[in-house]
């Protein structure tokens, strides 16, 4: 988090009464747990405060203040956006909020974090990984969307003033204009102070590049089948790929009715089911490709994705190939996560 200490809080009686808490706050800056927002004009007042209260540490802390003030001077475009401005009345609560780890709530803490870690490494957001490793970011398992949303709201209630909680969930959308119940629930969580990000694509797995899918499985028969599925997937437009069920494909028991999109020739392995909620999204896809993709690509994709990223087999431009603003959206997601750390 970016934190500003008003200069009036350092002077006279306020400085004396709040010295212990202010020094604790400065320790957060020294440990790089949070970022100090300070103007070069306020450094002298801070120096006087240090000389009064911690003369033996004054030089160390003064150098920290000077470095922070220069960073602020060279990055004025950031302004006051996202800055916590402490005050005498809020200082104790702000300290408690800032010393707690930030919270990232996801549907599945194993698979979703594997996805987020892989994406962070691709997009140069390793600071998010470091925050988790350094216990400055806790990742919570929601056990599904409803549980994740409830847990995020509960976690937000633990913070006094700055709700350092971000929720990341799938949209479960079937087409680009499909606003689902997940959006409404995330909006409700946002009203409770949670920073929410609902993925634009259907699920996390839709952000996995084709080159990852080409890596599984290892058996010769399986590789042949997977290659055919991948070829059929490549026939999709970016929008069609973004809302395809990557894990399970076009299989499932269709509902009876005139609007069902199911074709069955009576021969084995020639049945597929396109849920009606997709609308006409897949009408232009060849029937053989829909049949080939009835199985999907399985449920172990996040781990495979992270593995391939770690070994250097995937790069950022592989995400660009997904189209539909995928890379830009993912960067926006990481800015929300960074915004609470």
């Amino acid at each position: 988090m970016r934190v500003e200490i008003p200069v009036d809080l350092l002077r006279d009686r306020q400085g004396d009464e709040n010295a212990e808490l202010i020094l604790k706050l400065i320790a957060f800056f020294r440990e790089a747990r949070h970022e100090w927002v300070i103007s070069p004009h306020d450094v002298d007042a801070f120096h006087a405060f240090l000389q009064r209260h911690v003369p033996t540490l004054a030089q160390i802390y003064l150098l920290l203040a000077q470095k922070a003030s220069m960073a602020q001077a060279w990055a004025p475009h950031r302004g006051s956006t996202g800055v916590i401005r402490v005050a005498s009345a809020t200082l104790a609560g702000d300290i408690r909020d800032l010393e707690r780890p930030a919270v990232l709530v996801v549907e599945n803490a194993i698979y979703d974090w594997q996805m987020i870690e892989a994406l962070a490494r691709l997009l140069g957001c390793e600071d998010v990984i470091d925050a988790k490793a350094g216990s400055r970011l806790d990742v919570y398992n929601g056990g599904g969307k409803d549980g994740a949303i409830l847990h995020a709201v509960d976690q937000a209630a633990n913070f006094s003033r700055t709700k350092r909680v971000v929720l990341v969930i799938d949209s479960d959308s079937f087409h680009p204009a499909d606003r689902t119940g997940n959006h409404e629930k995330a909006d409700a969580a946002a009203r409770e102070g949670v920073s929410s990000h609902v993925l634009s694509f259907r699920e996390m797995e839709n952000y996995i590049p084709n080159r990852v899918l080409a890596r599984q499985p290892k058996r010769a028969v399986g590789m042949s089948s997977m290659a055919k599925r991948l070829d059929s997937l490549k026939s999709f437009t970016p929008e069609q790929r973004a809302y395809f069920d990557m894990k399970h494909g076009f299989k499932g028991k269709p509902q009876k009715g005139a609007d069902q999109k199911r074709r069955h020739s009576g021969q084995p392995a020639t049945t597929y089911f396109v849920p009606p909620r997709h609308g006409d999204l897949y009408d232009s896809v060849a029937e053989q490709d829909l049949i080939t993709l009835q199985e999907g690509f399985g449920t172990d994709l996040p781990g495979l994705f992270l593995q391939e990223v770690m070994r250097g087999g995937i790069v950022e431009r592989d995400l660009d190939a997904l189209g539909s603003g995928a890379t830009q959206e993912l960067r926006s997601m990481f800015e929300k996560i960074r915004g609470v750390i």
Side-chain angles (χ1 to χ4, degrees):
M1 300 295 298
R2 302 177 67 221
V3 185
E4 179 183 359
I5 306 173
V7 68
D8 291 343
L9 202 57
L10 303 173
R11 294 177 174 145
D12 306 323
R13 183 177 176 182
Q14 282 201 81
D16 294 339
E17 291 177 347
N18 296 304
E20 186 175 356
L21 291 174
I22 291 170
L23 291 171
K24 189 171 185 178
L25 191 56
I26 294 166
F28 292 162
F29 305 145
R30 189 181 180 191
E31 295 164 4
R33 290 180 62 176
H34 300 289
E35 179 183 345
W36 194 355
V37 176
I38 180 172
S39 166
H41 301 294
D42 294 340
V43 173
D44 287 344
F46 177 69
H47 190 199
F49 169 85
L50 292 175
Q51 292 288 1
R52 213 163 60 242
H53 295 287
V54 283
T56 57
L57 293 175
Q59 191 60 35
I60 294 173
Y61 284 173
L62 178 61
L63 289 173
L64 182 64
Q66 291 171 336
K67 181 179 179 181
S69 70
M70 291 303 295
Q72 180 69 11
W74 282 100
H77 63 280
R78 297 186 67 182
S80 59
T81 304
V83 175
I84 299 174
R85 195 169 195 268
V86 300
S88 182
T90 67
L91 188 56
D94 289 333
I95 292 289
R96 287 193 295 272
D97 287 347
L98 291 167
E99 68 185 349
R100 295 175 61 91
V103 179
L104 169 61
V105 184
V106 292
E107 298 176 43
N108 185 300
I110 295 176
Y111 294 132
D112 289 346
W113 177 253
Q114 287 175 336
M115 283 290 306
I116 289 171
E117 181 178 348
L119 291 167
R121 293 184 185 279
L122 281 183
L123 297 174
C125 300
E126 289 89 346
D127 54 314
V128 173
I129 302 171
D130 294 342
K132 180 177 182 292
S135 300
R136 292 179 288 114
L137 175 67
D138 284 344
V139 179
Y140 279 86
N141 178 52
K145 277 162 279 294
D146 290 340
I149 291 164
L150 291 173
H151 191 77
V153 171
D154 287 344
Q155 285 295 313
N158 292 329
F159 289 88
S160 173
R161 190 163 72 105
T162 305
K163 311 295 186 179
R164 300 177 56 219
V165 180
V166 63
L167 169 71
V168 175
I169 58 172
D170 297 337
S171 68
D172 289 344
S173 297
F174 283 78
H175 55 79
D178 189 13
R179 182 175 171 82
T180 68
N182 297 345
H183 295 90
E184 296 175 2
K185 292 171 183 176
D187 288 346
R191 290 193 289 272
E192 299 298 325
V194 176
S195 179
S196 300
H197 184 89
V198 181
L199 297 172
S200 294
F201 291 0
R202 180 171 178 167
E203 295 174 325
M204 275 278 195
E205 287 80 3
N206 291 90
Y207 296 86
I208 296 177
N210 287 346
R211 289 177 63 190
V212 175
L213 305 177
R215 302 293 194 269
Q216 66 167 66
K218 301 304 181 185
R219 299 187 308 275
V221 174
M223 287 180 70
S224 175
S225 174
M226 189 62 67
K228 290 178 181 177
R229 268 178 267 174
L230 189 53
D231 283 343
S232 291
L233 186 71
K234 290 177 181 178
S235 74
F236 282 4
T237 66
E239 281 191 347
Q240 289 167 338
R241 190 190 190 284
Y243 300 96
F244 172 62
D245 189 338
M246 296 291 290
K247 291 180 286 190
H248 305 296
F250 290 124
K251 66 181 179 181
K253 186 176 181 180
Q255 301 296 316
K256 293 181 179 179
D259 62 347
Q260 68 183 16
K261 291 176 179 267
R262 180 174 70 112
R263 303 171 192 174
H264 187 10
S265 68
Q267 300 299 320
T270 56
T271 302
Y272 66 90
F273 170 59
V274 179
R277 279 185 59 189
H278 281 304
D280 61 0
L281 185 61
Y282 297 100
D283 283 0
S284 63
V285 179
E287 181 174 46
Q288 186 55 54
D289 288 325
L290 297 177
I291 292 170
T292 302
L293 287 167
Q294 63 181 304
E295 290 300 321
F297 293 88
T299 59
D300 60 346
L301 297 177
L304 181 65
F305 184 23
L306 178 57
Q307 175 184 314
E308 290 301 314
V309 170
M310 294 289 284
R311 65 183 288 272
I314 306 296
V315 294
E316 182 179 336
R317 64 175 175 271
D318 292 314
L319 293 176
D320 296 334
L322 298 174
S324 302
T327 303
Q328 182 179 352
E329 186 215 341
L330 293 170
R331 289 192 182 281
S332 175
M333 178 188 74
F334 280 111
E335 283 307 305
K336 285 191 176 181
I337 297 173
R338 283 170 164 158
V340 301
I341 294 176

